[in-house]
Amino acid sequence: MNTTVISSLLPVVLLIAAGYLAGKRGWIGGKSVKDLSNLIFMLLAPALLFRSMSTVHVEQLSLRPVAAYFLAAGLIFAATMLWRGFNRTAAVLALANTYSNTVMIGIALVGLAYGPDGMVVLLTLISLHSLVLLTSATVVLELAVAHENAARSGAGRQDRKAMLRTVGRALRNAIIHPVPLPIIAGLLFAQTGWTLPVAIDTPINLLGQAFSPVALAMVGVTLALTPVGQHWRGALVQALFKNVVHPLLTLGLGWAMGLRGLPLAVMVVAAALPIGANVFLFSQRYKVAEELVTASVVVSTVLALVTLSGVMALVGYL
């Protein structure tokens, strides 16, 4: 089991290390990080998300196992917002506490450990993972931005119509956005029963395949260019919430909901996966907690070599 965990996590660590080397050697400078972030966020991520959702049929999904995962994530997200206050920083850190690296690490790990039956359960989660968590986080972030802008302009108390306009703007910005929009578009396309022509599907697939390695390498570049050392305590707290609290809460809720065996095991392992690179991209886009999130992704990934082994051993007894 430990060999399985290490073989799945090692590519992630090496990709971050490659980016770190590029940053340290000056192959990629600080001025290029923003452009690279835009490339990932505006082009590679939408391609991956659209294609992932373009074959999902809602009626074929078994939603009960993933309910425990999302319920645990929702509770942790809400608790983080209550603790840190309603602002962009709190929303990004709440996403870091709940968003798993289900694609880059999860697919390889679950496929090796639990076989095809486990993959069916995981892919059900993956088909909804970004749709639920990233769309919800985007709505919260856009509302937080509107709230902060209103506070800065002195419009602390708004009338009902002004507040409704603010909420409407936030919801519109949350949908017309490079993350939720391709998810929704892909899901709607899937319901038509059509398939993408090969000439269109191939470049979309190639762009989507570039997302994970480029995003993880960019984490390493940013790590090399920012003083992350001073954030190690905060990063460790974030990593412990994601790697330990999330899976334990998922386990408790799933057990209470009557889940047992393989579906529960896969959901708990998915919750124990380290922080996904999308959180780093959100911190870049909204310009909050960038150094802390960078450190948290790295610490969470390295810590997962230990915590995932423990979690997988625990669920082996279920």
Side-chain angles (χ1 to χ4, degrees):
M1 191 66 73
N2 289 340
T3 302
T4 300
V5 175
I6 292 172
S7 65
S8 299
L9 287 175
L10 187 58
V12 177
V13 174
L14 291 177
L15 283 167
I16 293 175
Y20 183 86
L21 176 64
K24 277 295 185 185
R25 296 299 299 270
W27 299 337
I28 300 177
K31 294 181 180 179
S32 302
V33 170
K34 182 179 179 181
D35 293 333
L36 190 56
S37 177
N38 285 335
L39 171 69
I40 296 168
F41 209 88
M42 305 297 292
L43 185 61
L44 303 186
L48 174 67
L49 295 171
F50 175 82
R51 193 170 187 275
S52 297
M53 299 304 295
S54 66
T55 58
V56 173
H57 297 282
V58 176
E59 69 277 4
Q60 297 175 354
L61 300 177
S62 177
L63 302 180
R64 198 166 76 94
V66 304
Y69 180 98
F70 286 125
L71 182 56
L75 290 173
I76 294 172
F77 195 103
T80 305
M81 294 296 295
L82 287 172
W83 177 30
R84 294 183 177 272
F86 190 75
N87 53 70
R88 287 178 295 166
T89 300
V92 167
L93 296 182
L95 185 62
N97 287 339
T98 55
Y99 192 84
S100 296
N101 194 332
T102 54
V103 176
M104 185 66 183
I105 300 175
I107 289 176
L109 180 62
V110 170
L112 287 170
Y114 300 108
D117 291 339
M119 283 297 297
V120 170
V121 178
L122 180 67
L123 290 176
T124 301
L125 173 64
I126 289 175
S127 68
L128 297 170
H129 193 243
S130 295
L131 177 64
V132 173
L133 294 183
L134 296 187
T135 303
S136 299
T138 302
V139 171
V140 173
L141 277 160
E142 291 295 337
L143 287 171
V145 169
H147 175 74
E148 291 174 5
N149 290 339
R152 278 196 297 269
S153 66
R157 298 190 63 181
Q158 304 179 45
D159 59 37
R160 180 181 290 270
K161 288 185 178 179
M163 180 57 70
L164 288 176
R165 284 197 298 271
T166 298
V167 173
R169 251 191 332 267
L171 291 174
R172 181 196 63 199
N173 291 340
I175 295 172
I176 309 301
H177 187 280
V179 173
L181 188 59
I183 294 172
I184 296 170
L187 188 62
L188 291 175
F189 180 83
Q191 308 320 303
T192 65
W194 301 340
T195 57
L196 290 171
V198 174
I200 296 176
D201 183 60
T202 299
I204 292 177
N205 183 35
L206 291 171
L207 288 170
Q209 288 176 351
F211 168 78
S212 290
V214 176
L216 288 168
M218 194 175 89
V219 172
V221 171
T222 306
L223 177 63
L225 299 177
T226 54
V228 174
Q230 62 186 340
H231 296 286
W232 74 268
R233 293 180 188 273
L236 183 59
V237 171
Q238 294 294 132
L240 288 173
F241 264 97
K242 180 67 201 70
N243 293 27
V244 179
V245 176
H246 191 188
L248 290 180
L249 185 56
T250 301
L251 174 59
L253 291 171
W255 191 269
M257 293 167 60
L259 292 174
R260 301 291 187 272
L262 184 64
L264 179 59
V266 173
M267 287 301 103
V268 173
V269 169
L273 292 168
I275 300 170
N278 272 320
V279 181
F280 170 73
L281 299 178
F282 268 68
S283 73
Q284 288 275 331
R285 182 168 182 81
Y286 288 94
K287 295 179 171 51
V288 292
E290 296 173 51
E291 295 177 5
L292 175 56
V293 169
T294 300
S296 298
V297 171
V298 175
V299 172
S300 176
T301 302
V302 175
L303 187 64
L305 292 167
V306 176
T307 56
L308 260 176
S309 297
V311 168
M312 294 177 76
L314 174 63
V315 297
Y317 293 104
L318 298 179

